[in-house]
Amino acid sequence: MVEGILLVISGPSGVGKGTVCRYLLEIRKALKLSVSTTTRPPRQGEQEGKEYHFTTPSRFKAMIKEGFFLEWAVVHDHYYGTRSDAVRELLSSGQDLILEIDIQGAEQVKEKVPEAASIFLAPPSMAALEERITGRGTEDSDRIGRRLDTARREMKAYDRYDYLVVNDTVEKAAGLIDSIIDAEKCKVSRGARPPGGGGEC
Ligand code: ADP
Ligand code: 5GP
């Protein structure tokens, strides 16, 4: 069996990663989103096991020590991580999987799983990014300022990714990522073979 594709979607906070991923999951039903573990308190409407697995800092630190994570990072004062066992299990069953994670985590995944396809989601402009972070209404003004400072730094990391997608409209960005997955599936290095195995011509 050919392993599923591991797709890493990253980019600055507020660029629209969550929004684009949700749309992508609608247009590509076979795709799954990995559920991360975090120490951030749940936002209104978030459910355990759906958006995140919520845990305490001490439990998270114990999980780091026990080697549970494929990658982990501290993002805006909270721990976030992707459990290795769940990712390996899904990929080996042929499931295509998205990791929607921050830039530090994306670098760790690329080091450990070089065949993962990494996508940097960029805003159409810094003004649009500021509008999106402010418009989301989940942060106070102090936190918005910090997220924007981090975002400016993070924008410089785009050249360490396999693909760059501008989140101009959600439909366009998700459509491009959908095409990237199709292209990844055609890679011979990933196991694509002609019908009949290619030896019969
Ligand atoms: P992230 O997951 O990268 O932090 P979100 O998905 O939470 O970002 O999006 C941040 C805000 O930007 C949300 O209010 C969302 O509705 C808005 N947004 C996302 N993509 C677009 C887009 N293409 N055009 C306009 N607004 C967008
Ligand atoms: P939020 O708190 O807004 O849901 O997420 C904050 C940031 O954490 C986002 O940039 C998101 O991509 C990132 N994030 C979510 N899950 C993970 C994870 O498992 N690992 C890493 N490294 N970052 C994550």
Side-chain angles (χ1 to χ4, degrees):
M1 155 145 355
V2 177
E3 275 223 332
I5 287 169
L6 184 61
L7 202 71
V8 178
I9 300 187
S10 197
S13 172
V15 71
K17 298 182 293 297
T19 309
V20 169
C21 285
R22 277 193 297 278
Y23 189 86
L24 184 61
L25 292 167
E26 283 298 315
I27 60 172
R28 197 169 185 119
K29 298 280 186 201
L31 201 57
K32 257 206 166 104
L33 181 66
S34 159
V35 180
S36 298
T37 303
T38 185
T39 60
R40 164 169 82 59
R43 293 185 183 132
Q44 202 174 10
E46 286 184 336
Q47 292 167 29
E48 164 57 34
K50 189 161 179 262
E51 284 80 11
Y52 285 104
H53 296 292
F54 297 98
T55 193
T56 59
S58 64
R59 178 71 197 123
F60 196 103
K61 285 180 205 160
M63 287 169 81
I64 296 173
K65 270 201 187 143
E66 290 160 26
F68 272 34
F69 293 116
L70 171 65
E71 63 76 31
W72 66 272
V74 177
V75 186
H76 307 298
D77 302 332
H78 299 294
Y79 286 90
Y80 294 83
T82 306
R83 284 187 63 145
S84 311
D85 51 357
V87 169
R88 303 260 175 231
E89 225 170 83
L90 288 166
L91 291 180
S92 58
S93 72
Q95 174 68 57
D96 298 330
L97 193 63
I98 316 181
L99 305 185
E100 191 247 284
I101 59 178
D102 94 307
I103 278 160
Q104 310 164 71
E107 289 187 5
Q108 296 169 46
V109 175
K110 216 35 197 168
E111 258 171 43
K112 288 190 188 160
V113 191
E115 67 275 21
S118 62
I119 299 176
F120 186 91
L121 196 63
S125 66
M126 287 311 283
L129 181 66
E130 184 165 354
E131 244 171 58
R132 287 179 194 176
I133 294 178
T134 313
R136 188 167 58 180
T138 52
E139 260 72 43
D140 57 33
S141 59
D142 189 35
R143 277 171 188 269
I144 289 171
R146 282 171 58 206
R147 287 204 176 213
L148 274 169
D149 286 345
T150 311
R152 279 188 201 97
R153 258 198 333 271
E154 289 179 335
M155 284 299 295
K156 299 194 177 99
Y158 77 89
D159 59 355
R160 287 179 239 150
Y161 286 72
D162 298 314
Y163 299 95
L164 174 80
V165 170
V166 176
N167 181 16
D168 188 349
T169 69
V170 175
E171 294 79 1
K172 245 197 261 174
L176 281 170
I177 298 172
D178 191 32
S179 305
I180 289 169
I181 300 172
D182 285 338
E184 287 288 320
K185 282 190 175 289
C186 294
K187 277 188 174 167
V188 173
S189 60
R190 212 181 255 293
R193 296 290 176 269
E200 285 102 42
C201 301

Short mmCIF file of all heavy atoms in Angstrom, two decimals, residues 12-20 22 100 132-133 135-136 147 167-170, ligand 1:
data_model
loop_
_atom_site.label_atom_id
_atom_site.label_comp_id
_atom_site.label_asym_id
_atom_site.label_seq_id
_atom_site.Cartn_x
_atom_site.Cartn_y
_atom_site.Cartn_z
N PRO A 12 1.97 32.73 8.94
CA PRO A 12 1.76 33.56 10.13
C PRO A 12 0.36 33.43 10.71
O PRO A 12 -0.59 33.10 10.00
CB PRO A 12 2.00 34.99 9.61
CG PRO A 12 1.92 34.91 8.15
CD PRO A 12 2.26 33.52 7.75
N SER A 13 0.28 33.69 12.00
CA SER A 13 -1.00 33.66 12.71
C SER A 13 -1.95 34.64 12.03
O SER A 13 -1.59 35.76 11.70
CB SER A 13 -0.74 34.07 14.16
OG SER A 13 -1.95 34.23 14.83
N GLY A 14 -3.18 34.22 11.80
CA GLY A 14 -4.19 35.11 11.24
C GLY A 14 -4.23 35.13 9.72
O GLY A 14 -5.10 35.77 9.13
N VAL A 15 -3.33 34.40 9.06
CA VAL A 15 -3.29 34.43 7.59
C VAL A 15 -4.51 33.70 7.00
O VAL A 15 -4.89 33.94 5.85
CB VAL A 15 -1.96 33.85 7.07
CG1 VAL A 15 -1.87 32.35 7.28
CG2 VAL A 15 -1.77 34.17 5.59
N GLY A 16 -5.09 32.79 7.80
CA GLY A 16 -6.27 32.07 7.31
C GLY A 16 -6.05 30.57 7.19
O GLY A 16 -6.80 29.88 6.50
N LYS A 17 -5.06 30.05 7.92
CA LYS A 17 -4.75 28.60 7.84
C LYS A 17 -5.98 27.77 8.20
O LYS A 17 -6.34 26.84 7.49
CB LYS A 17 -3.59 28.23 8.78
CG LYS A 17 -2.29 28.92 8.45
CD LYS A 17 -1.17 28.49 9.37
CE LYS A 17 -1.31 28.91 10.81
NZ LYS A 17 -1.31 30.37 11.06
N GLY A 18 -6.58 28.11 9.35
CA GLY A 18 -7.75 27.34 9.81
C GLY A 18 -8.89 27.43 8.82
O GLY A 18 -9.51 26.41 8.48
N THR A 19 -9.15 28.63 8.32
CA THR A 19 -10.26 28.85 7.38
C THR A 19 -10.03 28.08 6.09
O THR A 19 -10.93 27.39 5.58
CB THR A 19 -10.38 30.37 7.09
OG1 THR A 19 -10.41 31.06 8.32
CG2 THR A 19 -11.62 30.68 6.29
N VAL A 20 -8.81 28.18 5.55
CA VAL A 20 -8.51 27.50 4.27
C VAL A 20 -8.56 25.98 4.47
O VAL A 20 -9.09 25.25 3.63
CB VAL A 20 -7.13 27.96 3.72
CG1 VAL A 20 -6.67 27.09 2.56
CG2 VAL A 20 -7.20 29.42 3.30
N ARG A 22 -10.35 24.29 6.65
CA ARG A 22 -11.75 23.85 6.78
C ARG A 22 -12.40 23.76 5.40
O ARG A 22 -13.11 22.79 5.10
CB ARG A 22 -12.55 24.83 7.67
CG ARG A 22 -12.38 24.55 9.16
CD ARG A 22 -13.41 25.29 9.99
NE ARG A 22 -13.29 26.74 9.89
CZ ARG A 22 -12.42 27.48 10.59
NH1 ARG A 22 -11.60 26.90 11.44
NH2 ARG A 22 -12.37 28.79 10.45
N GLU A 100 -1.82 21.44 10.41
CA GLU A 100 -1.94 22.90 10.35
C GLU A 100 -1.19 23.41 11.57
O GLU A 100 -1.73 23.43 12.68
CB GLU A 100 -3.43 23.25 10.37
CG GLU A 100 -3.72 24.70 10.05
CD GLU A 100 -4.27 25.43 11.25
OE1 GLU A 100 -5.45 25.25 11.59
OE2 GLU A 100 -3.49 26.19 11.86
N ARG A 132 -7.22 40.83 9.24
CA ARG A 132 -7.74 39.49 9.58
C ARG A 132 -7.54 39.18 11.06
O ARG A 132 -8.42 38.65 11.72
CB ARG A 132 -7.06 38.42 8.71
CG ARG A 132 -7.57 38.47 7.30
CD ARG A 132 -6.91 37.45 6.39
NE ARG A 132 -7.21 37.80 5.00
CZ ARG A 132 -6.73 37.16 3.96
NH1 ARG A 132 -5.91 36.14 4.11
NH2 ARG A 132 -7.06 37.54 2.73
N ILE A 133 -6.35 39.53 11.60
CA ILE A 133 -6.08 39.25 13.01
C ILE A 133 -7.04 40.07 13.88
O ILE A 133 -7.62 39.57 14.84
CB ILE A 133 -4.61 39.54 13.39
CG1 ILE A 133 -3.67 38.58 12.65
CG2 ILE A 133 -4.40 39.45 14.89
CD1 ILE A 133 -2.20 38.80 12.90
N GLY A 135 -9.95 41.44 12.90
CA GLY A 135 -11.34 41.10 12.60
C GLY A 135 -11.80 39.80 13.24
O GLY A 135 -12.98 39.61 13.49
N ARG A 136 -10.85 38.89 13.52
CA ARG A 136 -11.23 37.60 14.10
C ARG A 136 -11.82 37.77 15.50
O ARG A 136 -12.65 36.99 15.94
CB ARG A 136 -9.99 36.69 14.14
CG ARG A 136 -10.30 35.28 14.55
CD ARG A 136 -9.13 34.37 14.28
NE ARG A 136 -7.92 34.82 14.97
CZ ARG A 136 -6.76 34.20 14.90
NH1 ARG A 136 -6.64 33.13 14.15
NH2 ARG A 136 -5.71 34.65 15.55
N ARG A 147 1.14 39.37 17.95
CA ARG A 147 0.95 38.44 16.82
C ARG A 147 1.45 39.06 15.52
O ARG A 147 2.03 38.38 14.68
CB ARG A 147 -0.52 38.04 16.70
CG ARG A 147 -0.91 37.08 17.82
CD ARG A 147 -2.10 36.21 17.48
NE ARG A 147 -2.31 35.27 18.59
CZ ARG A 147 -2.76 34.04 18.48
NH1 ARG A 147 -3.07 33.55 17.31
NH2 ARG A 147 -2.91 33.27 19.53
N ASN A 167 -3.14 33.46 0.20
CA ASN A 167 -4.54 33.34 0.59
C ASN A 167 -5.26 34.65 0.25
O ASN A 167 -5.55 35.47 1.12
CB ASN A 167 -4.68 33.02 2.08
CG ASN A 167 -6.13 32.87 2.49
OD1 ASN A 167 -7.01 32.71 1.65
ND2 ASN A 167 -6.38 32.94 3.79
N ASP A 168 -5.52 34.78 -1.05
CA ASP A 168 -6.23 35.94 -1.56
C ASP A 168 -7.72 35.71 -1.27
O ASP A 168 -8.31 36.36 -0.42
CB ASP A 168 -5.90 36.01 -3.06
CG ASP A 168 -6.41 37.27 -3.68
OD1 ASP A 168 -7.18 37.97 -3.01
OD2 ASP A 168 -6.05 37.55 -4.83
N THR A 169 -8.30 34.71 -1.96
CA THR A 169 -9.62 34.27 -1.52
C THR A 169 -9.47 32.83 -1.03
O THR A 169 -8.57 32.10 -1.48
CB THR A 169 -10.67 34.27 -2.67
OG1 THR A 169 -10.32 33.24 -3.59
CG2 THR A 169 -10.72 35.62 -3.38
N VAL A 170 -10.35 32.45 -0.11
CA VAL A 170 -10.27 31.12 0.50
C VAL A 170 -10.43 30.05 -0.59
O VAL A 170 -9.69 29.06 -0.62
CB VAL A 170 -11.38 30.96 1.57
CG1 VAL A 170 -11.41 29.55 2.14
CG2 VAL A 170 -11.18 31.97 2.68
P1 ADP B 1 -5.07 31.30 11.24
O1 ADP B 1 -5.65 29.93 11.42
O2 ADP B 1 -3.99 31.36 10.21
O3 ADP B 1 -4.64 31.93 12.53
P2 ADP B 1 -7.86 32.04 10.67
O4 ADP B 1 -8.29 30.94 9.77
O5 ADP B 1 -8.34 32.04 12.09
O6 ADP B 1 -6.26 32.22 10.64
O7 ADP B 1 -8.31 33.40 9.94
C1 ADP B 1 -8.13 34.67 10.55
C2 ADP B 1 -9.28 35.59 10.11
O8 ADP B 1 -9.12 35.89 8.72
C3 ADP B 1 -10.66 34.98 10.29
O9 ADP B 1 -11.56 35.98 10.75
C4 ADP B 1 -11.05 34.53 8.87
O10 ADP B 1 -12.43 34.55 8.66
C5 ADP B 1 -10.33 35.57 8.02
N1 ADP B 1 -9.92 35.06 6.69
C6 ADP B 1 -9.30 33.89 6.41
N2 ADP B 1 -9.05 33.77 5.08
C7 ADP B 1 -9.52 34.90 4.50
C8 ADP B 1 -9.56 35.41 3.15
N3 ADP B 1 -9.07 34.71 2.13
N4 ADP B 1 -10.11 36.61 2.93
C9 ADP B 1 -10.62 37.35 3.97
N5 ADP B 1 -10.63 36.95 5.26
C10 ADP B 1 -10.07 35.74 5.54
#
